[in-house]
Amino acid sequence: MDMAAATLRKRPLSVHTAVSNGNGNGFGVGHGAQEQGEPVSPSARLLEDFYIVVVIGIATPVNLPAARAGIEAQLIRYHPRFRSIQVKDASGNMRWVPTTVDLDYHIIYPNLDDVAVARDPDRAVEDYVATLSTRPMDKSRPLWEFHMLDFPTSEAAATTAFRVHHSLGDGMSLLTLLMACTRSAADPARLPAMPSLPTRTGAIWERPRPQRPRGPWRSRFFATILFLRDPRTLFERANQEPGQKKRLVHRALSLDDVNFVKNAMNCTVNDVLVGVTYAALSRYYFRKTGDADTSKEIRVRSILLVNLRPTTSLQACVNLIESGKESDVKWGNELGFIILPFHIGLHDDDPLQYVRKAKKIVDRKKSSLEVVFTHLASEVILKIFGLKAAGAIFHRMISHTTISFSNMIGPVEQVEFCGHPVVFIAPSGYGPPEALTVNFQSYVNTMMVNLAVDEAQFPDSHELLDDFVESLRLIRGSA
């Protein structure tokens, strides 16, 4: 199976495109297809070197026929971008053009060292996923892949690494897509149960806001682009060369513990997770540096991604797809961001102080229009200065911060993906110039913390994961 798949994977790809003219006739590239394809959005064009990787543990060995059938019947059908490529039109604009999808190029069985797998299967999975950050994708075919690691680890019977280019969608839209392709493990006839979400029927900027000073966040945004950068710490990326390998690691935390702290402190899950991250980075910093001045506090900043879409239920998305209106589902990149201060300091006498600080800062940020402003500013900069200059500005701004941070909500019950019971979901990615990306993902009764780290800078990334576990334990104990 491995050798056959590897042979298929190396075959030259023949791309066939077809765009309907409304009468059922198709036109290949070079016959007006470029003008008919939907334009690639400004947000997607700015994410040229950004990729999302979702590591999924499953409870059974891989059933390849079932996986192929499910991916073809649901994933490719549901999302037009999964059957499209980016093509430049006569005016030089990039457009999405439909193409024929050959699953032999998108479902990959890698050849791994049998000795390494037998010695440490967990490490073999981790090492393989890390190599994906150094392998570019072939842009002559749709930009997604499933890598099947069909051997047991300490966490699952098999592992799948789903890699997708960020231009196909942001983390929230892709997670929604994956969940739309799953079914409840308890009742495969229905969609998985999702947690109730705060209802937002309109755009994010339409929600009521308290009357308070808006603060100088606009000036700080432009100052970050121009000159304002974080102080140098061990979290700042030491090597800014492109193509540095990123290692993706994860650890399960107790969602019950997170909810306990949330209820005890009358805050949100996100407040708790930001506070736990403050605490974990602080523990790691003072241990690694040996700094004896535990009274000091260092402020670095994170790019916190925020979903701009109205709240839509998973069932509503699937209903649109089933009725042939998949184009009405907002799959793409609908994100703004907030520049969120992160405090590095020790509060061993009162670990809840980490959460209090997080809540205070996040509340202040949520009451502003910073997330909308940054989204619109990115599009205006791209329109005025063009892709190359806008990309450089975007990269410069991110490189002046220290961390990327996000938090996503998953199903509250076990799901099946293409007939395979899912044990865990661990999304992360690579591309941002920071050395550290932190992502949280809930699933059933766990909260997975996922780190993407510069491999050379964080050779002890599992120690940092230990700090997240210990930080939540201390905060929960204090609550």
Side-chain angles (χ1 to χ4, degrees):
M1 175 66 74
D2 287 354
M3 292 302 295
T7 302
L8 288 172
R9 188 69 173 79
K10 295 177 181 178
R11 278 174 14 196
L13 176 63
S14 176
V15 177
H16 303 284
T17 62
V19 179
S20 173
N21 64 3
N23 298 317
N25 297 322
F27 297 92
V29 174
H31 291 280
Q34 302 96 315
E35 286 74 25
Q36 297 189 42
E38 183 180 347
V40 179
S41 70
S43 297
R45 297 189 70 191
L46 281 176
L47 299 170
E48 179 69 21
D49 298 319
F50 287 54
Y51 294 82
I52 295 170
V53 179
V54 185
V55 179
I56 303 171
I58 58 177
T60 62
V62 175
N63 182 333
L64 185 57
R68 288 176 63 97
I71 291 170
E72 186 171 20
Q74 294 179 304
L75 189 70
I76 299 174
R77 174 192 168 202
Y78 283 3
H79 197 334
R81 299 292 175 266
F82 280 73
R83 54 181 188 269
S84 301
I85 59 173
Q86 297 181 24
V87 177
K88 187 176 292 186
D89 65 17
S91 301
N93 299 315
M94 300 299 294
R95 293 182 177 272
W96 292 104
V97 177
T99 184
T100 301
V101 178
D102 185 345
L103 286 180
D104 288 333
Y105 291 101
H106 296 274
I107 299 178
I108 302 162
Y109 268 78
N111 287 315
L112 299 183
D113 185 343
D114 292 338
V115 174
V117 171
R119 181 173 61 247
D120 191 343
D122 291 16
R123 182 73 181 193
V125 169
E126 186 182 305
D127 287 345
Y128 178 78
V129 173
T131 65
L132 297 180
S133 65
T134 64
R135 300 178 185 178
M137 276 183 149
D138 183 351
K139 295 183 179 179
S140 67
R141 65 174 181 265
L143 298 173
W144 58 273
E145 299 167 340
F146 279 92
H147 298 257
M148 304 296 190
L149 303 170
D150 197 5
F151 52 85
T153 67
S154 65
E155 296 179 287
T159 309
T160 294
F162 174 47
R163 179 168 71 149
V164 58
H165 194 274
H166 216 313
S167 62
L168 274 70
D170 54 54
M172 182 58 68
S173 71
L174 291 172
L175 178 65
T176 301
L177 173 65
L178 280 176
M179 292 304 100
C181 297
T182 65
R183 292 297 180 266
S184 165
D187 180 7
R190 64 172 172 83
L191 288 167
M194 300 291 287
S196 57
L197 299 174
T199 301
R200 188 174 75 231
T201 57
I204 193 171
W205 54 83
E206 294 174 354
R207 68 186 183 191
R209 296 175 186 281
Q211 295 297 319
R212 63 174 62 192
R214 293 184 178 181
W217 51 264
R218 291 185 184 86
S219 61
R220 286 199 296 267
F221 171 73
F222 287 111
T224 300
I225 293 175
L226 295 173
F227 62 85
L228 184 63
R229 65 183 305 150
D230 285 355
R232 293 189 178 278
T233 65
L234 57 81
F235 299 110
E236 183 183 32
R237 190 168 184 176
N239 188 342
Q240 293 291 340
E241 293 297 320
Q244 290 294 111
K245 182 184 289 188
K246 285 292 184 76
R247 183 164 290 273
L248 279 55
V249 297
H250 61 265
R251 185 75 59 82
L253 307 178
S254 168
L255 184 56
D256 288 341
D257 286 351
V258 173
N259 283 324
F260 182 90
V261 177
K262 178 201 75 169
N263 295 331
M265 301 194 68
N266 191 27
C267 61
T268 67
V269 167
N270 193 67
D271 295 335
V272 177
L273 298 179
V274 173
V276 169
T277 305
Y278 285 1
L281 298 185
S282 299
R283 289 177 57 84
Y284 184 85
Y285 173 84
F286 281 96
R287 183 177 69 255
K288 298 299 291 185
T289 61
D291 194 332
D293 185 5
T294 58
S295 64
K296 73 161 52 174
E297 184 169 276
I298 304 168
R299 194 183 78 163
V300 298
R301 292 171 302 163
S302 166
I303 297 292
L304 174 64
L305 300 178
V306 180
N307 177 30
L308 293 175
R309 299 175 183 81
T311 303
T312 305
S313 71
L314 181 61
Q315 185 65 59
C317 292
V318 173
N319 288 344
L320 286 171
I321 295 166
E322 296 293 342
S323 62
K325 298 179 180 179
E326 63 267 17
S327 60
D328 292 341
V329 182
K330 300 298 184 182
W331 290 129
N333 288 276
E334 293 286 338
L335 290 175
F337 57 88
I338 291 171
I339 300 178
L340 184 70
F342 267 47
H343 294 275
I344 306 298
L346 289 181
H347 300 290
D348 291 342
D349 55 334
D350 183 11
L352 295 182
Q353 187 66 11
Y354 293 112
V355 181
R356 294 190 192 102
K357 287 186 176 183
K359 176 176 170 53
K360 181 178 179 180
I361 292 170
V362 173
D363 282 351
R364 185 173 70 244
K365 290 289 185 175
K366 285 192 294 189
S367 68
S368 76
L369 286 173
E370 181 175 354
V371 61
V372 179
F373 176 79
T374 53
H375 174 77
L376 295 177
S378 299
E379 296 202 353
V380 170
I381 289 172
L382 178 60
K383 185 174 182 179
I384 293 175
F385 296 104
L387 178 61
K388 186 174 182 179
I393 293 171
F394 185 60
H395 185 279
R396 179 181 178 86
M397 183 197 68
I398 296 178
S399 65
H400 282 180
T401 63
T402 301
I403 305 162
S404 286
F405 181 93
S406 63
N407 167 33
M408 295 189 293
I409 300 173
V412 297
E413 64 173 341
Q414 187 178 30
V415 303
E416 289 184 352
F417 180 71
C418 301
H420 298 77
V422 173
V423 178
F424 69 85
I425 306 171
S428 191
Y430 59 92
E434 295 112 331
L436 175 63
T437 298
V438 180
N439 170 270
F440 287 95
Q441 171 69 60
S442 66
Y443 178 56
V444 194
N445 59 353
T446 63
M447 178 65 72
M448 191 74 79
V449 55
N450 310 287
L451 306 180
V453 302
D454 188 305
E455 186 175 55
Q457 193 163 335
F458 292 93
D460 53 356
S461 54
H462 286 271
E463 289 186 20
L464 182 52
L465 288 174
D466 293 339
D467 289 323
F468 277 87
V469 174
E470 180 64 10
S471 295
L472 177 58
R473 187 189 70 81
L474 292 172
I475 290 172
R476 200 274 186 206
S478 295

